Amino acid sequence: MNAVITAIRRQLPQLEGEVLVGFSGGADSTALLHSVFSQKKGQVTAVHINHGLRGSDAEADEAFVRRFCAEFEIPLEVAAVDVRAEAEKRGLSIEHAARELRYDIFVKTAMFLNITKVLTAHNSGDNLETMIYNLARGSIGLVGIPLSRPLTEGIIVYRPLLGVSRADIEKYLTENGLSHVEDLSNQDTVYTRNLIRHQIVPLLEKINPKVSEHAFRNAVIREYDSETLSNELTVDAVNQLSQELGALYVKKLLKSHGISPTYAYITAVLNICRNGSPHAVVNLPMGRSVKRVYNILSIENTIKTDNVSRFNSLFKILQINADTIVGKLYIRKRQQGDSITFPKMGTKSLKKLFIDKKIPMEERDRIPILCDEAGIVAIVGIGVTARCVPCDGAKILSITVEAIDGEYIITEACGEGQMNEE
C-alpha cells in the first residue's frame, strides 16, 4: 500500500468530521487533498491562497485548483492576498509574511465554515529543512515541524503527510493519474528554504539517503518527550505516528513510569489507541494499567480509590424552584431509562448525556441524581431539569449535596426568598 494512504488511514480517527485542506495545486497538497477526500468519503473543503507574487503563473495555479475541485466535487474557498505589501507593512521577509498570511486565512476560513481541523501538506523533506533552518538560526535542539498544533482556540492544524517522503508522494500521484502544478519560485535559492532544499539536503542525502526519515523520527520523539513523561497523553498523538514510531513512543511512556516495555504491552497499548473504542484498559504489572477514555490515554493504579473522588470535584450546591418540588427530595444513582430535560436543549437520556460529557463508564454510577416524587430534579455537577429551574418571582431552594462515608446526602436545604427581575 502506498505510504500516503497508509498515513491517512492511520490518522482517520482524529480527522473525524469536516476538515479544511490547504490546496496550492502542488504535488504535496494535491496528494493530500485527493487521499483525504477519497478516504473520508467527503467532509472535505479545500482552501487556495493566491499570494499575489507570481502574476500569470499564480492565475494559472488558481485555474488548475478550480478545475481539480470541480472534477472531484470538492467545495473550494479561494482567497487573494498582497504578500509584498504585508511584508513591508509588518517588517517581515516575503517568506515569513506569506506564512503568517496563509495561517491567518486558514483560521478565518475555518471559523467561517465552523470547521475545527485544518490540514497542510508538509512532508518529511519539509521537516528536515525546518530542522536545518532552526539549527542555523541558533534554536536549542533539533526542532522540526510539529505533527499538530493549535492555530487558535478550537482550531487545530494537522500535518498527515509529515512522515511521508516526496518520492512516495510523487508515486501516489502517478498511481492515481493525478496532475499538479509546479511553483517555479521554489527553485529560486534567494529564499532560505530553497537554498537548504537544493544545496544542503542533497549533500546530506549523499551521506544517508534516509536522512529525512531519520530526522522525522528524531523530531517526533523530541516533540513528545515532555508529554510522554507525564501520566497522561492523547490517543491522537499516538495515532499520528507510524507503527514503529508509535511503538517507540509507548515504550518511552512505559519506561518513564518504571514499567518494563515488553512487546506484548507495547502492542496492547497501540491496539487500544487504534481500534476506535472510546473505552479500553491494558492491565500491567505492579498494580498499574494503561486506560483509554475517549482521547485520553493515562497510566493509573488499578487499586480502587474513593468512589466519590470525581464527585468531590463537582459543584454541589443546586438552586431550584421550590414551588415545583413534589413530595420529598432524595439522592440516588442513575437507573435504566433515566432522562432529563434541560432548558433550550430538550430531553436527553442520561446515557447519551454522560457520553456527550465524556464521563468515563466506571464513573457514571457515581454521579448523584437529585429526585423528588415526580422524577429527576437535577444531576449534581451537570444541571437542573427544566421543570425545576428558578424563574422570576419564584421561591428559590438552595440545596447542598455532600459525600459522607461513601454515600451522598442532602446536608442543607434552605429557602432564599424570591428571584426578581433586575
Side-chain angles (χ1 to χ4, degrees):
M1 184 184 299
N2 186 278
V4 170
I5 292 297
T6 300
I8 297 302
R9 287 184 178 176
R10 184 174 62 242
Q11 296 176 65
L12 282 178
Q14 72 254 27
L15 300 183
E16 182 179 354
E18 190 167 358
V19 298
L20 181 68
V21 179
F23 184 36
S24 68
D28 300 335
S29 64
T30 299
L32 175 63
L33 181 60
H34 182 269
S35 59
V36 171
F37 182 75
S38 64
Q39 294 301 308
K40 283 177 61 64
K41 309 301 181 186
Q43 293 186 300
V44 176
T45 298
V47 56
H48 176 78
I49 302 167
N50 186 330
H51 294 85
L53 293 172
R54 298 166 42 244
S56 59
D57 287 341
E59 297 299 328
D61 290 354
E62 182 179 325
F64 168 83
V65 164
R66 290 185 182 277
R67 288 194 303 271
F68 186 96
C69 290
E71 177 183 350
F72 290 98
E73 298 183 346
I74 300 172
L76 172 66
E77 299 288 329
V78 176
V81 292
D82 187 339
V83 172
R84 294 189 189 280
E86 285 297 318
E88 185 176 348
K89 179 180 177 181
R90 302 185 188 190
L92 301 174
S93 67
I94 294 293
E95 288 177 285
H96 194 173
R99 180 182 180 279
E100 285 197 357
L101 288 169
R102 275 196 301 275
Y103 282 101
D104 286 347
I105 291 171
F106 289 160
V107 169
K108 290 176 182 177
T109 306
M111 292 178 68
F112 176 74
L113 297 175
N114 197 29
I115 295 175
T116 61
K117 298 168 184 176
V118 176
L119 277 54
T120 63
H122 295 87
N123 62 37
S124 63
D126 297 318
N127 179 68
L128 174 60
E129 293 161 16
T130 298
M131 293 176 73
I132 295 170
Y133 179 65
N134 287 336
L135 183 64
R137 290 197 312 164
S139 298
I140 298 175
L142 292 174
V143 182
I145 302 173
L147 283 161
S148 63
R149 69 175 178 87
L151 290 180
T152 188
E153 185 176 355
I155 299 176
I156 297 175
V157 61
Y158 293 89
R159 284 113 179 182
L161 302 184
L162 196 58
V164 180
S165 69
R166 177 60 183 253
D168 283 324
I169 288 171
E170 292 176 345
K171 182 180 178 183
Y172 176 85
L173 296 176
T174 300
E175 290 174 350
N176 289 276
L178 299 172
S179 59
H180 64 281
V181 297
E182 292 285 354
D183 182 348
L184 296 180
S185 69
N186 287 335
Q187 305 300 318
D188 189 349
T189 55
V190 71
Y191 298 117
T192 304
R193 282 189 174 275
N194 292 343
L195 179 67
I196 294 171
R197 178 179 305 156
H198 297 298
Q199 296 189 15
I200 298 176
V201 170
L203 294 176
L204 294 174
E205 289 176 336
K206 286 184 178 180
I207 299 172
N208 188 336
K210 293 187 175 182
V211 61
S212 294
E213 178 184 330
H214 295 165
F216 172 70
R217 177 188 303 176
N218 181 77
V220 168
I221 295 302
R222 288 187 65 87
E223 177 186 345
Y224 288 147
D225 258 349
S226 59
E227 185 179 9
T228 303
L229 294 176
S230 69
N231 284 328
E232 193 175 274
L233 63 148
T234 66
V235 173
D236 283 355
V238 177
N239 284 341
Q240 290 183 83
L241 306 176
S242 66
Q243 189 73 10
E244 179 188 11
L245 280 176
L248 286 173
Y249 191 16
V250 172
K251 180 179 180 180
K252 287 176 71 69
L253 172 69
L254 297 178
K255 288 183 70 174
S256 68
H257 289 84
I259 298 167
S260 179
T262 66
Y263 175 81
Y265 295 147
I266 292 172
T267 302
V269 173
L270 287 176
N271 285 342
I272 68 172
C273 291
R274 311 228 201 257
N275 67 14
S277 173
H279 299 275
V281 176
V282 174
N283 291 317
L284 302 170
M286 302 168 56
R288 301 284 192 90
S289 68
V290 175
K291 180 184 294 185
R292 175 181 179 174
V293 179
Y294 292 99
N295 191 41
I296 300 299
L297 199 67
S298 59
I299 289 188
E300 300 181 359
N301 290 321
T302 54
I303 300 172
K304 296 290 184 181
T305 56
D306 180 10
N307 282 349
V308 299
S309 59
R310 180 181 179 88
F311 168 73
N312 286 336
S313 67
L314 303 174
F315 70 82
K316 292 162 283 189
I317 299 177
L318 301 165
Q319 290 191 329
I320 61 179
N321 185 338
D323 297 330
T324 64
I325 301 303
V326 179
K328 295 181 179 180
L329 290 169
Y330 61 95
I331 298 289
R332 66 167 173 82
K333 65 180 183 180
R334 66 171 179 156
Q335 297 176 355
Q336 184 71 28
D338 273 345
S339 63
I340 188 169
T341 301
F342 289 125
K344 299 181 182 180
M345 290 179 57
T347 301
K348 183 176 290 189
S349 70
L350 264 60
K351 179 180 179 180
K352 180 69 163 62
L353 178 66
F354 289 166
I355 290 173
D356 291 346
K357 295 289 185 182
K358 300 193 183 305
I359 297 173
M361 286 191 296
E362 68 273 15
E363 296 189 2
R364 294 172 190 174
D365 284 336
R366 304 174 192 169
I367 303 296
I369 311 296
L370 178 66
C371 301
D372 65 5
E373 294 179 12
I376 293 177
V377 172
I379 304 173
V380 179
I382 295 180
V384 177
T385 187
R387 168 173 68 92
C388 300
V389 171
C391 59
D392 294 339
K395 182 179 180 181
I396 299 174
L397 186 63
S398 182
I399 297 174
T400 302
V401 179
E402 296 285 354
I404 298 178
D405 295 330
E407 295 186 0
Y408 308 116
I409 64 172
I410 299 171
T411 59
E412 184 179 351
C414 59
E416 296 186 357
Q418 295 185 330
M419 182 176 185
N420 298 306
E421 294 186 34
E422 294 183 356

mmCIF file of all heavy atoms in Angstrom, residues 79-96:
data_model
loop_
_atom_site.group_PDB
_atom_site.id
_atom_site.type_symbol
_atom_site.label_atom_id
_atom_site.label_comp_id
_atom_site.label_asym_id
_atom_site.label_seq_id
_atom_site.Cartn_x
_atom_site.Cartn_y
_atom_site.Cartn_z
ATOM 1 N N ALA A 79 -8.839 32.668 -1.674
ATOM 2 C CA ALA A 79 -8.533 33.983 -1.102
ATOM 3 C C ALA A 79 -7.319 34.571 -1.823
ATOM 4 O O ALA A 79 -6.437 33.841 -2.271
ATOM 5 C CB ALA A 79 -8.253 33.863 0.391
ATOM 6 N N ALA A 80 -7.271 35.884 -1.942
ATOM 7 C CA ALA A 80 -6.142 36.579 -2.559
ATOM 8 C C ALA A 80 -5.541 37.557 -1.549
ATOM 9 O O ALA A 80 -6.271 38.242 -0.832
ATOM 10 C CB ALA A 80 -6.589 37.324 -3.809
ATOM 11 N N VAL A 81 -4.212 37.584 -1.481
ATOM 12 C CA VAL A 81 -3.526 38.493 -0.553
ATOM 13 C C VAL A 81 -2.366 39.161 -1.287
ATOM 14 O O VAL A 81 -1.868 38.642 -2.289
ATOM 15 C CB VAL A 81 -2.991 37.744 0.694
ATOM 16 C CG1 VAL A 81 -4.130 37.248 1.557
ATOM 17 C CG2 VAL A 81 -2.083 36.585 0.289
ATOM 18 N N ASP A 82 -1.928 40.297 -0.771
ATOM 19 C CA ASP A 82 -0.771 41.005 -1.322
ATOM 20 C C ASP A 82 0.383 40.812 -0.339
ATOM 21 O O ASP A 82 0.545 41.576 0.611
ATOM 22 C CB ASP A 82 -1.099 42.489 -1.503
ATOM 23 C CG ASP A 82 0.004 43.240 -2.228
ATOM 24 O OD1 ASP A 82 1.156 42.742 -2.243
ATOM 25 O OD2 ASP A 82 -0.274 44.328 -2.765
ATOM 26 N N VAL A 83 1.158 39.775 -0.559
ATOM 27 C CA VAL A 83 2.215 39.421 0.387
ATOM 28 C C VAL A 83 3.279 40.511 0.473
ATOM 29 O O VAL A 83 3.754 40.849 1.566
ATOM 30 C CB VAL A 83 2.864 38.077 -0.002
ATOM 31 C CG1 VAL A 83 4.100 37.806 0.857
ATOM 32 C CG2 VAL A 83 1.860 36.942 0.168
ATOM 33 N N ARG A 84 3.672 41.094 -0.672
ATOM 34 C CA ARG A 84 4.733 42.117 -0.643
ATOM 35 C C ARG A 84 4.313 43.309 0.208
ATOM 36 O O ARG A 84 5.093 43.817 1.026
ATOM 37 C CB ARG A 84 5.064 42.583 -2.061
ATOM 38 C CG ARG A 84 5.688 41.510 -2.927
ATOM 39 C CD ARG A 84 6.193 42.085 -4.248
ATOM 40 N NE ARG A 84 6.586 41.030 -5.158
ATOM 41 C CZ ARG A 84 7.747 40.380 -5.092
ATOM 42 N NH1 ARG A 84 8.613 40.702 -4.136
ATOM 43 N NH2 ARG A 84 8.030 39.433 -5.961
ATOM 44 N N ALA A 85 3.084 43.749 0.040
ATOM 45 C CA ALA A 85 2.601 44.899 0.813
ATOM 46 C C ALA A 85 2.555 44.571 2.301
ATOM 47 O O ALA A 85 2.949 45.389 3.143
ATOM 48 C CB ALA A 85 1.213 45.311 0.315
ATOM 49 N N GLU A 86 2.088 43.366 2.632
ATOM 50 C CA GLU A 86 2.004 42.969 4.035
ATOM 51 C C GLU A 86 3.387 42.772 4.642
ATOM 52 O O GLU A 86 3.605 43.084 5.818
ATOM 53 C CB GLU A 86 1.177 41.690 4.179
ATOM 54 C CG GLU A 86 -0.314 41.894 4.036
ATOM 55 C CD GLU A 86 -0.875 42.800 5.123
ATOM 56 O OE1 GLU A 86 -0.480 42.656 6.297
ATOM 57 O OE2 GLU A 86 -1.700 43.672 4.803
ATOM 58 N N ALA A 87 4.327 42.253 3.854
ATOM 59 C CA ALA A 87 5.696 42.076 4.348
ATOM 60 C C ALA A 87 6.306 43.418 4.717
ATOM 61 O O ALA A 87 6.948 43.577 5.771
ATOM 62 C CB ALA A 87 6.544 41.366 3.296
ATOM 63 N N GLU A 88 6.109 44.405 3.848
ATOM 64 C CA GLU A 88 6.632 45.754 4.119
ATOM 65 C C GLU A 88 5.931 46.363 5.326
ATOM 66 O O GLU A 88 6.568 46.980 6.186
ATOM 67 C CB GLU A 88 6.434 46.632 2.890
ATOM 68 C CG GLU A 88 7.048 48.013 3.029
ATOM 69 C CD GLU A 88 6.933 48.833 1.756
ATOM 70 O OE1 GLU A 88 6.587 48.255 0.701
ATOM 71 O OE2 GLU A 88 7.189 50.049 1.828
ATOM 72 N N LYS A 89 4.617 46.175 5.391
ATOM 73 C CA LYS A 89 3.834 46.740 6.482
ATOM 74 C C LYS A 89 4.233 46.136 7.829
ATOM 75 O O LYS A 89 4.326 46.839 8.849
ATOM 76 C CB LYS A 89 2.347 46.481 6.212
ATOM 77 C CG LYS A 89 1.408 46.995 7.288
ATOM 78 C CD LYS A 89 -0.033 46.694 6.910
ATOM 79 C CE LYS A 89 -0.990 47.128 8.013
ATOM 80 N NZ LYS A 89 -2.405 46.797 7.645
ATOM 81 N N ARG A 90 4.487 44.842 7.838
ATOM 82 C CA ARG A 90 4.790 44.142 9.094
ATOM 83 C C ARG A 90 6.290 44.057 9.393
ATOM 84 O O ARG A 90 6.695 43.580 10.442
ATOM 85 C CB ARG A 90 4.217 42.725 9.067
ATOM 86 C CG ARG A 90 2.709 42.669 8.844
ATOM 87 C CD ARG A 90 2.189 41.240 8.952
ATOM 88 N NE ARG A 90 0.792 41.135 8.556
ATOM 89 C CZ ARG A 90 0.035 40.037 8.727
ATOM 90 N NH1 ARG A 90 0.570 38.964 9.295
ATOM 91 N NH2 ARG A 90 -1.218 40.023 8.330
ATOM 92 N N GLY A 91 7.107 44.490 8.432
ATOM 93 C CA GLY A 91 8.555 44.427 8.626
ATOM 94 C C GLY A 91 9.082 43.011 8.613
ATOM 95 O O GLY A 91 9.997 42.648 9.355
ATOM 96 N N LEU A 92 8.516 42.171 7.723
ATOM 97 C CA LEU A 92 8.884 40.763 7.649
ATOM 98 C C LEU A 92 9.478 40.440 6.285
ATOM 99 O O LEU A 92 9.318 41.183 5.318
ATOM 100 C CB LEU A 92 7.641 39.886 7.875
ATOM 101 C CG LEU A 92 6.892 40.055 9.194
ATOM 102 C CD1 LEU A 92 5.609 39.229 9.173
ATOM 103 C CD2 LEU A 92 7.775 39.643 10.369
ATOM 104 N N SER A 93 10.148 39.283 6.203
ATOM 105 C CA SER A 93 10.596 38.797 4.908
ATOM 106 C C SER A 93 9.379 38.317 4.123
ATOM 107 O O SER A 93 8.301 38.097 4.685
ATOM 108 C CB SER A 93 11.576 37.628 5.092
ATOM 109 O OG SER A 93 10.895 36.496 5.634
ATOM 110 N N ILE A 94 9.550 38.145 2.811
ATOM 111 C CA ILE A 94 8.468 37.650 1.970
ATOM 112 C C ILE A 94 8.010 36.278 2.463
ATOM 113 O O ILE A 94 6.796 36.008 2.572
ATOM 114 C CB ILE A 94 8.911 37.560 0.489
ATOM 115 C CG1 ILE A 94 9.178 38.959 -0.079
ATOM 116 C CG2 ILE A 94 7.865 36.826 -0.340
ATOM 117 C CD1 ILE A 94 7.936 39.821 -0.198
ATOM 118 N N GLU A 95 8.976 35.386 2.765
ATOM 119 C CA GLU A 95 8.644 34.036 3.236
ATOM 120 C C GLU A 95 7.809 34.080 4.515
ATOM 121 O O GLU A 95 6.792 33.391 4.641
ATOM 122 C CB GLU A 95 9.922 33.237 3.505
ATOM 123 C CG GLU A 95 10.681 32.804 2.270
ATOM 124 C CD GLU A 95 11.958 32.086 2.649
ATOM 125 O OE1 GLU A 95 12.917 32.768 3.059
ATOM 126 O OE2 GLU A 95 12.006 30.851 2.545
ATOM 127 N N HIS A 96 8.289 34.888 5.463
ATOM 128 C CA HIS A 96 7.626 34.951 6.773
ATOM 129 C C HIS A 96 6.234 35.552 6.648
ATOM 130 O O HIS A 96 5.261 35.058 7.234
ATOM 131 C CB HIS A 96 8.482 35.768 7.737
ATOM 132 C CG HIS A 96 8.076 35.620 9.165
ATOM 133 N ND1 HIS A 96 8.803 36.164 10.207
ATOM 134 C CD2 HIS A 96 7.013 34.996 9.746
ATOM 135 C CE1 HIS A 96 8.195 35.880 11.347
ATOM 136 N NE2 HIS A 96 7.116 35.169 11.099
#
